[in-house]
Amino acid sequence: MFLVRVAKGSRAAFEQTRVNDEVWLPSQVHAFVSARLGLLKALRIEQEVSYSNCRESQTESPIISQMKAK
């Protein structure tokens, strides 16, 4: 069991973009978190993740259903 307290001022932002006028995909995630783990360890994390050149993947694997006769 862990006790985590997230500090005031922590924040996260999530941006999406429309791809091929079909689906919304993430384009950027930015987070700043200040927290205390238990009573001992203070954490400060700032993370930014950017996505680019997203495109639809193509697969040629058909979905096959097999039923066993008894």
Side-chain angles (χ1 to χ4, degrees):
M1 178 183 215
F2 290 100
L3 178 63
V4 177
R5 179 186 287 180
V6 178
K8 187 176 182 179
S10 296
R11 61 194 176 275
F14 179 78
E15 294 179 27
Q16 293 179 312
T17 188
R18 189 141 170 107
V19 176
N20 296 335
D21 287 327
E22 296 175 354
V23 65
W24 287 93
L25 294 176
S27 60
Q28 188 172 38
V29 177
H30 182 86
F32 173 78
V33 179
S34 182
R36 181 167 291 281
L37 183 62
L39 299 173
L40 304 173
K41 182 142 178 116
L43 301 171
R44 289 189 182 179
I45 300 169
E46 186 166 0
Q47 183 76 39
E48 184 170 327
V49 179
S50 296
Y51 301 88
S52 63
N53 200 20
C54 295
R55 59 186 184 274
E56 185 178 355
S57 64
Q58 299 294 324
T59 181
E60 294 182 19
S61 300
I63 297 174
I64 299 173
S65 171
Q66 294 183 348
M67 295 180 68
K68 293 184 180 180
K70 289 187 177 185

